[in-house]
Amino acid sequence: MTRNKLAIDIIRWGLVDYPSMYQKMHDFTNNRDDDTPDQIWLVEHPAIFTQGQAGKSEHILSAGTIPVFQADRGGQVTFHGPGQMIAYLMLDLRRRKLGVRQLVSIMEQAVVDTLAYYQISGYPKADAPGVYVDGKKIASLGLRVRRGCSFHGLALNVNMDLSPFHQINPCGYAGLEMTQTKDLAGPQHVDEAINTFLPVITGLLGAPLSEQDLGAAS
């Protein structure tokens, strides 16, 4: 059977340190060719602050014992930790006939639709990428595109320690409050969030999820 060129492979990595996953993203993107299937990587990271290309050091108020990693994604500083659902979108945008702005909109809509499944009213902001609930940020976005292919992606707060966000100006905004699905009667665990999110994001990307995509990474 001929594989649909718009099909997307799903890989669940589990808990992996950020520098290792950062290198894996670069290796995958650098080595892919026109026939490489698109992938979505689901992962959690141990506690770390990541600083985007536009990041300014003054937005890290007090890193304390949490490491800081300089990344090549868009955006400012954010925090990653266990209990946060991270989806890295390893997509050939030319093959999918998508622009970067379109992909950002799809990512935001996927989070909004995922939250709506739990009767949570999320919304994007035109001047501040991400998804918000009642003025508090619940999902952050940051992408990089190289040779027409995207990597990095989005982070949805599910059930995590939010206190490190107080050590930074999240996404460059002083005093921005964060929230998570656990506190809004939404998913209590990352796996639950993933299982709701996956069919939504793949559907919006024109690649309906198949049963074989649901396996975990070995």
Side-chain angles (χ1 to χ4, degrees):
M1 183 182 295
T2 302
R3 181 187 171 95
N4 184 335
K5 288 187 176 181
L6 296 183
I8 298 175
D9 292 333
I10 307 301
I11 300 181
R12 303 191 191 208
W13 291 97
L15 184 68
V16 181
D17 68 277
Y18 186 88
S20 295
M21 190 56 60
Y22 184 87
Q23 188 60 53
K24 289 179 187 295
M25 283 193 287
H26 281 78
D27 291 345
F28 178 87
T29 302
N30 291 338
N31 295 325
R32 68 180 302 168
D33 58 29
D34 291 343
D35 296 321
T36 302
D38 286 343
Q39 298 186 355
I40 294 178
W41 297 359
L42 287 308
V43 65
E44 294 176 67
H45 293 310
I48 192 169
F49 294 120
T50 65
Q51 187 82 300
Q53 286 185 310
K56 298 179 180 178
S57 58
E58 59 262 34
H59 291 308
I60 301 175
L61 307 178
S62 174
T65 59
I66 299 174
V68 180
F69 189 95
Q70 187 66 47
D72 60 351
R73 61 167 173 77
Q76 290 270 356
V77 64
T78 193
F79 171 71
H80 298 309
Q84 184 183 60
M85 184 199 84
I86 297 175
Y88 290 132
L89 276 60
M90 320 298 287
L91 308 176
D92 186 330
L93 300 186
R94 293 170 299 189
R95 184 165 62 205
R96 309 194 83 87
K97 296 181 171 57
L98 282 176
V100 177
R101 183 61 244 180
Q102 287 175 285
L103 179 56
V104 169
S105 295
I106 286 172
M107 293 162 65
E108 291 174 332
Q109 190 62 49
V111 174
V112 169
D113 291 350
T114 297
L115 295 174
Y117 181 83
Y118 301 93
Q119 288 77 52
I120 301 170
S121 297
Y123 55 90
K125 288 184 178 181
D127 59 340
V131 177
Y132 301 78
V133 177
D134 294 330
K136 299 178 181 180
K137 195 165 193 176
I138 196 167
S140 303
L141 277 61
L143 282 172
R144 178 76 190 273
V145 176
R146 180 181 296 162
R147 294 165 41 229
C149 297
S150 67
F151 54 111
H152 294 290
L154 65 88
L156 173 65
N157 303 335
V158 177
N159 186 349
M160 61 186 301
D161 178 7
L162 295 176
S163 62
F165 282 106
H166 297 300
Q167 297 170 229
I168 60 174
N169 292 329
C171 306
Y173 292 93
L176 176 63
E177 289 189 70
M178 308 296 288
T179 189
Q180 57 186 337
T181 62
K182 175 182 75 76
D183 299 330
L184 299 169
Q188 302 296 296
H189 304 286
V190 168
D191 283 347
E192 181 186 357
I194 287 173
N195 290 336
T196 305
F197 170 81
L198 274 180
V200 175
I201 186 70
T202 53
L204 289 170
L205 288 168
L209 195 64
S210 66
E211 289 299 316
Q212 66 184 16
D213 292 324
L214 293 173
S218 59

